Amino acid sequence: MFRTYLGDLSAFACFLVCWVGYTWFADYARRDSRSIMVAMHDLHLLWMRRMLRREVRIGDVNILGVANRSVMLLVTTTVFILAGLVAIMGALDKARELVSGLAFTVQASREMWEIKMLMMILIFTYAFFKFMWSLRQFNYSLQLLGAAPLHDEPDSPDWETFPKRASRVITLAVDSFNRGVRAYYFGLAALGWFIQPWVFGVVSVWIVLVLYRREFRSHTLKTLTAEEGDPFAGKETPEREGVPR
């Protein structure tokens, strides 16, 4: 029996190593290095420092409001995905029959299908909790913004500490959102398990490479961290025919 499920177990182990390993690498081992999250935290701190000097802060509230709505959209989407997965669990035999008709898919037992579906439900349940926590943290950020010292109160006791605290809360909210989105990536990788175990493993590794490229080696990161004198600073993308700058 162990040999029967050896491929599935190997693919699942690869999936766990990729997800847990990359999370540890990106969020802990490399949190002091140059990454999208580090660059954004620096911008959050700069934003809060400049916000204190503005008399009118409606724009700052609107920025957080837009972030709130973006997270809420993914919360709703995740609920719909979970509802669909639960519905499939109720009609598992029909789903197995449909997929088994494809020539390139592996034939799996009902028990293995149940395990695969339960894993998908767990992945998107995790994403739901991360998005919900991100939503609450953005709400806390809005309330924190309302408690900010006024622009003409530079002698306020929390004038110096407020930008650090506010930027930290915003960064934590973005970090929770980022982990929820990361769960979506690996949820897509898990779909490969319904095709072939080796597809599951290969796509899991590919997802790690995509995430690493975007968080540590992307042009967006280079632009966010570009300084005066940096050869990348001010570099424009090639002009495309018919598309104005």
Side-chain angles (χ1 to χ4, degrees):
M1 183 176 180
F2 178 79
R3 291 184 178 180
T4 304
Y5 297 110
L6 182 60
D8 293 294
L9 292 173
S10 301
F12 182 67
C14 177
F15 172 78
L16 287 181
V17 169
C18 287
W19 192 351
V20 176
Y22 182 78
T23 298
W24 175 82
F25 171 82
D27 296 349
Y28 298 103
R30 294 291 299 273
R31 62 183 174 184
D32 294 328
S33 62
R34 191 174 73 163
S35 66
I36 287 284
M37 287 299 299
V38 173
M40 290 306 300
H41 177 69
D42 293 340
L43 289 177
H44 296 155
L45 182 58
L46 180 61
W47 171 23
M48 289 296 105
R49 285 174 175 167
R50 290 178 172 173
M51 182 275 300
L52 286 181
R53 302 187 179 279
R54 284 194 280 270
E55 181 178 2
V56 180
R57 299 168 179 175
I58 296 177
D60 305 291
V61 173
N62 285 338
I63 292 173
L64 287 175
V66 169
N68 246 337
R69 290 192 290 273
S70 299
V71 179
M72 191 63 207
L73 174 63
L74 281 175
V75 169
T76 306
T77 302
T78 307
V79 170
F80 287 141
I81 292 174
L82 286 171
L85 291 173
V86 172
I88 292 176
M89 284 290 288
L92 198 58
D93 291 331
K94 291 183 179 180
R96 286 182 61 208
E97 182 181 352
L98 177 64
V99 175
S100 63
L102 302 176
F104 50 84
T105 58
V106 65
Q107 300 298 320
S109 64
R110 180 182 175 85
E111 291 77 12
M112 184 55 65
W113 261 80
E114 291 175 351
I115 292 174
K116 294 176 182 179
M117 291 302 303
L118 285 174
M119 186 190 70
M120 293 291 293
I121 291 174
L122 288 175
I123 290 172
F124 286 99
T125 299
Y126 171 84
F128 171 80
F129 278 104
K130 284 300 178 182
F131 289 138
M132 281 299 300
W133 182 227
S134 175
L135 184 64
R136 292 184 64 183
Q137 287 175 310
F138 275 121
N139 284 330
Y140 298 151
S141 301
L142 281 168
Q143 296 172 40
L144 196 59
L145 202 65
L150 298 178
H151 74 287
D152 56 355
E153 294 180 337
D155 297 328
S156 176
D158 57 344
W159 181 269
E160 294 296 330
T161 60
F162 178 84
K164 295 179 181 178
R165 291 188 293 116
S167 62
R168 177 62 177 161
V169 173
I170 294 172
T171 298
L172 288 172
V174 174
D175 182 59
S176 296
F177 179 80
N178 187 45
R179 292 191 180 197
V181 171
R182 193 179 293 161
Y184 265 62
Y185 277 92
F186 283 101
L188 293 176
L191 289 176
W193 202 3
F194 292 92
I195 301 174
Q196 293 281 351
W198 66 266
V199 174
F200 183 27
V202 169
V203 176
S204 298
V205 175
W206 177 70
I207 289 295
V208 169
L209 296 176
V210 170
L211 291 173
Y212 177 78
R213 171 70 174 78
R214 292 181 177 180
E215 294 190 37
F216 293 94
R217 292 290 184 269
S218 64
H219 292 303
T220 300
L221 176 60
K222 292 179 181 178
T223 303
L224 289 172
T225 57
E227 299 177 355
E228 187 175 355
D230 191 321
F232 193 86
K235 185 177 180 181
E236 297 181 358
T237 55
E239 186 172 5
R240 295 181 180 180
E241 183 179 356
V243 180
R245 288 186 181 272

